[in-house]
């Protein structure tokens, strides 16, 4: 990464009012040290699947890894595998192995353990800043700013007020509305009910952490982005199929991230997600997190298991 400090006003969006610290920093990603390179993490949001949220495990593992490197290096990539279902009723132990500490690059391996068995393994690579004349990036999509879009709660309320909404969708939306998640989302071009049957495996939404994180250490913003990156990510692969099938089982298999430029996770970023392929009960998704000023901050990729059942009824929306 090119800097240890996250950009401030050049991203736009400014700081949220007040001194409310983001719960992602004060609780979700706040690990308890038990010994050298050994930490304990607890759970603060459990999805309706009653499994651990994958983004929380990735974020906590990166927190643990970052505590074992010097201040002058910053994460540039991580690669993770979810190997067992997490149990939300017990804490997670994070064991860090200092695989290599080099002059330019350092590698840390992290194992997340519950009930004496690994549930997650991760390797994170950290780099000392190295300027280079070799630079390029794709162009950020042109979309409306977040201030012109409905927040997640208002959008769900709009769907729920539609008398043509099928009951199965109404139940699901009420369940989503009841969640208290530590991030804010504003969907770009949300589909109408009639468009739900002809969607592409693509979506874009503005996202940021709730509360204030501040400029601070870039390492924490990367850990928060790791948490954010898993939210609604794998669901992108289901968008063309959701009207024909009921999801029986969906879970992440792996998760990779590449950190390109400094950013603030408590400022709005555009999350561009697409699924180039699905088959064999698996789906592949790719994502890009863009700063408001058009700078590509993070790239992500994930594969997951997707098992579905045909809908019992062929009734239309």
């Amino acid at each position: 990464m090119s800097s240890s400090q996250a950009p401030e006003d050049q991203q736009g969006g400014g700081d949220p009012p007040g001194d409310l610290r983001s719960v992602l920093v004060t609780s979700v990603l706040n690990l308890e040290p038990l010994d050298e390179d050994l930490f304990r993490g607890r759970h603060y949001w459990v999805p309706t699947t009653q499994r651990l949220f994958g983004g929380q495990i990735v974020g906590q593992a990166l927190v643990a890894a970052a505590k074992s490197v010097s201040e002058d290096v910053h994460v540039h990539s991580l690669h993770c595998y979810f190997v067992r279902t997490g149990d939300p009723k017990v804490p997670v132990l994070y064991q860090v192995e200092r695989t290599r500490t080099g002059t330019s690059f350092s590698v840390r391996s992290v194992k997340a353990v519950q009930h004496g068995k690994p549930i997650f393994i991760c390797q994170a690579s950290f780099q000392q800043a190295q300027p280079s004349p070799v630079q390029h990036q794709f162009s950020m999509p042109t979309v409306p700013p977040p201030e012109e879009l409905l927040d997640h709660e208002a959008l769900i309320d709009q769907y729920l007020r539609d008398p043509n909404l099928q009951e199965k969708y109404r139940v699901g939306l009420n369940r989503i509305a009841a969640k208290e998640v530590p991030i804010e989302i504003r969907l770009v071009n949300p589909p109408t009910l009639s468009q739900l049957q002809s969607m592409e495996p693509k979506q874009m939404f503005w996202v940021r952490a709730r509360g204030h994180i501040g400029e601070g250490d870039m390492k924490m913003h990367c850990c928060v982005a790791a948490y954010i990156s898993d939210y609604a990510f794998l669901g992108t692969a289901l968008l063309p199929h959701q009207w024909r099938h009921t999801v029986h089982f969906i879970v992440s298999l792996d998760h990779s991230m590449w950190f390109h430029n400094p950013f603030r996770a408590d400022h709005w970023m555009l999350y561009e997600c697409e699924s180039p392929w699905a088959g064999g009960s698996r789906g592949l998704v790719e994502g890009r997190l863009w700063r408001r000023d058009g700078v590509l901050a993070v790239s992500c990729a994930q594969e997951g298991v997707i098992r579905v059942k045909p809908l019992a009824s062929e009734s239309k929306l």
Side-chain angles (χ1 to χ4, degrees):
M1 299 192 64
S2 59
S3 170
S4 62
Q5 295 294 316
E8 279 286 340
D9 295 335
Q10 66 264 36
Q11 274 197 68
D15 293 331
D19 297 324
L20 177 64
R21 290 283 286 171
S22 172
V23 68
L24 283 170
V25 175
T26 59
S27 299
V28 179
L29 300 178
N30 187 18
L31 299 183
E32 176 188 0
L34 300 178
D35 202 341
E36 184 177 36
D37 296 338
L38 181 64
F39 305 89
R40 178 161 54 202
R42 301 188 182 277
H43 325 304
Y44 296 89
W45 175 59
V46 178
T48 53
T49 59
Q50 294 303 305
R51 301 186 193 96
L52 288 182
F53 174 49
Q56 176 180 294
I57 303 175
V58 177
Q60 290 183 341
L62 185 53
V63 169
K67 290 180 180 294
S68 69
V69 298
S70 60
E71 290 294 324
D72 61 341
V73 298
H74 299 276
V75 65
H76 72 89
S77 70
L78 60 83
H79 304 278
C80 316
Y81 283 94
F82 300 91
V83 296
R84 285 184 177 85
T85 300
D87 182 353
K89 298 186 293 296
V90 299
V92 180
L93 294 180
Y94 294 93
Q95 304 169 350
V96 181
E97 177 185 321
R98 305 191 183 206
T99 309
R100 180 179 186 270
T101 301
T103 304
S104 300
F105 292 88
S106 297
V107 177
R108 298 294 183 261
S109 301
V110 183
K111 183 189 298 182
V113 177
Q114 283 187 321
H115 303 298
K117 296 180 180 180
I119 64 168
F120 168 89
I121 53 177
C122 172
Q123 288 197 318
S125 182
F126 297 78
Q127 181 188 15
Q128 196 166 49
Q130 297 178 0
S132 170
V134 180
Q135 296 185 31
H136 71 266
Q137 68 162 55
F138 286 174
S139 297
M140 177 180 173
T142 301
V143 299
E147 293 80 11
E148 295 180 7
L149 302 173
L150 291 175
D151 62 35
H152 210 215
E153 294 78 8
L155 180 60
I156 289 175
D157 183 64
Q158 179 176 285
Y159 283 135
L160 290 173
R161 283 189 276 108
D162 191 317
N164 296 317
L165 182 68
Q166 281 191 12
E167 185 60 25
K168 62 169 184 153
Y169 292 117
R170 191 174 301 277
V171 170
L173 287 171
N174 276 314
R175 189 181 297 127
I176 293 172
K179 298 176 182 176
E180 290 188 8
V181 296
I183 57 178
E184 296 181 74
I185 290 176
R186 298 195 179 180
L187 197 63
V188 176
N189 297 323
T192 62
L193 293 182
S194 61
Q195 292 172 331
L196 288 175
Q197 297 185 11
S198 59
M199 293 184 66
E200 291 187 278
K202 299 179 180 180
Q203 62 176 337
M204 289 188 287
F205 50 89
W206 291 98
V207 61
R208 69 178 176 185
R210 292 188 185 274
H212 178 67
I213 298 174
E215 187 172 8
D217 187 349
M218 189 60 213
K219 288 187 177 70
M220 179 51 68
H221 287 279
C222 290
C223 295
V224 173
Y227 182 99
I228 288 173
S229 68
D230 192 39
Y231 191 82
F233 195 24
L234 188 55
T236 308
L238 276 169
L239 293 178
H241 314 285
Q242 58 189 357
W243 68 278
R244 288 185 304 231
H245 301 94
T246 298
V247 177
H248 176 60
F249 183 79
I250 180 169
V251 65
S252 304
L253 288 170
D254 55 33
H255 192 83
S256 295
M257 300 182 71
W258 296 266
F259 300 86
H260 309 305
N261 287 287
F263 59 91
R264 280 189 56 169
D266 56 350
H267 284 180
W268 288 114
M269 291 192 292
L270 179 68
Y271 201 6
E272 178 189 12
C273 306
E274 60 184 1
S275 174
W277 174 88
S281 294
R282 304 191 319 277
L284 176 67
V285 288
E286 301 170 344
R288 301 184 184 98
L289 277 167
W290 300 89
R291 287 185 352 205
R292 287 190 70 154
D293 59 1
V295 171
L296 181 60
V298 184
S299 297
C300 312
Q302 183 180 102
E303 191 176 47
V305 176
I306 301 175
R307 296 184 181 129
V308 298
K309 297 185 294 186
L311 289 179
S313 170
E314 293 298 322
S315 62
K316 305 300 182 182
L317 291 172

